[in-house]
Amino acid sequence: PAVASAAGSETRAERGRKPGGVKDPRRARPPPPPSAPSTRPNSRVAAVFVSCSRLQPPELATEEPLTTASEDIDRIVAGAHHDPFRVLGPHQLGDDGQRGWVVRAFLPDAEAAAVLASDGSRRHEMTRLHPAGLFQAMLPKSSWPLVYKLELRNHEGHTWQIRDPYAFPPVLTDFDIHLLGEGTHLDAHDRLGTHVREVNGVRGVHFAVWAPNAIRVSVVGMFNHWDGRRHPMRSHPGAGVWEIFIPDIG
């Protein structure tokens, strides 16, 4: 039922008829946000939002040491970054990771956040890079490989944990991308759209869409308060395909 609801909402979100019956989200408005959104994920309703207009990012305001360009940070918090996986999630510091790792996350609901090892053995407090809710944690080389969750605390003192969707690899293979890009994939219905899958032992929902003219594509729904900045998708340049795996929904 969750997959059917997600796919149904996706078709009302966007696009003039394309192969496979996908609609262009530029021709429909996204649903309005709820007046009192819940902090608990809810996967019953989800849609794919495609942005084809450029957004003006807010100014960067931080005294924390930066491990990525300030322009990238501005674009992430504005929901205007074409390659969010380049900024969010885990990244090596240095070509070989000798200087350690950094984990970044955009968490607009959080007053504070931390990176937790899934086995509970380690905890790394995150620092706020941007007042809109971009956080980062610096991890020593010895802490990796690390299977982690993010712990969030809001201004009311409530805490909860989530898995980081930007810590998961692509689901589509290079061959999938090639065939989808040239329009010859015989199983496009099983690659595009919304599908419950398991990635690295974690159950979630994989979203994929063909949107060659978009500068940013996001998944929106009740679980993220219909906020297109929270789950921007991975771009596959040249093929016009976007995807993201969101754990623990569906």
Side-chain angles (χ1 to χ4, degrees):
V3 177
S5 298
S9 297
E10 178 184 338
T11 58
R12 77 166 176 264
E14 12 234 317
R15 278 195 303 193
R17 292 287 179 180
K18 297 288 183 182
V22 181
K23 293 184 178 180
D24 189 336
R26 293 171 292 175
R27 301 195 178 183
R29 296 180 179 177
S35 57
S38 168
T39 58
R40 291 181 175 273
N42 186 325
S43 63
R44 285 188 171 183
V45 183
V48 175
F49 174 76
V50 177
S51 172
C52 295
S53 60
R54 300 196 176 277
L55 305 177
Q56 294 298 321
E59 294 183 0
L60 180 69
T62 178
E63 297 179 357
E64 298 295 335
L66 298 180
T67 57
T68 189
S70 60
E71 292 84 358
D72 284 332
I73 294 174
D74 284 338
R75 292 188 183 110
I76 288 292
V77 301
H81 205 294
H82 68 286
D83 188 10
F85 279 81
R86 192 177 75 188
V87 180
L88 302 175
H91 297 273
Q92 290 182 339
L93 295 175
D95 294 337
D96 54 4
Q98 291 297 319
R99 293 191 290 128
W101 291 74
V102 61
V103 174
R104 303 187 198 95
F106 180 59
L107 308 167
D109 286 335
E111 183 73 17
V115 176
L116 305 179
S118 293
D119 60 5
S121 62
R122 283 165 286 178
R123 177 187 180 91
H124 303 274
E125 297 295 333
M126 304 186 81
T127 56
R128 183 184 292 269
L129 289 182
H130 195 283
L134 186 67
F135 291 83
Q136 79 171 15
M138 308 289 289
L139 282 62
K141 178 186 175 185
S142 59
S143 66
W144 213 263
L146 177 67
V147 179
Y148 67 90
K149 290 185 178 182
L150 300 173
E151 182 180 86
L152 289 66
R153 187 182 78 245
N154 64 14
H155 67 282
E156 296 177 342
H158 300 299
T159 61
W160 67 101
Q161 296 180 9
I162 62 171
R163 286 187 172 90
D164 185 1
Y166 297 93
F168 289 85
V171 172
L172 299 175
T173 67
D174 290 342
F175 193 47
D176 286 329
I177 298 301
H178 172 74
L179 294 180
L180 290 170
E182 67 179 17
T184 60
H185 205 307
L186 298 181
D187 294 318
H189 63 282
D190 189 50
R191 300 298 187 268
L192 299 177
T194 306
H195 300 278
V196 175
R197 301 193 189 279
E198 187 173 296
V199 178
N200 293 345
V202 177
R203 180 184 170 92
V205 178
H206 177 245
F207 298 84
V209 64
W210 185 68
N213 295 322
I215 61 171
R216 187 259 297 176
V217 182
S218 294
V219 177
V220 296
M222 293 174 65
F223 66 94
N224 65 8
H225 312 327
W226 301 98
D227 187 345
R229 303 172 301 163
R230 300 189 186 216
H231 290 95
M233 301 170 76
R234 182 193 305 271
S235 170
H236 292 285
V241 176
W242 304 71
E243 68 165 319
I244 190 172
F245 173 78
I246 302 180
D248 298 329
I249 67 172

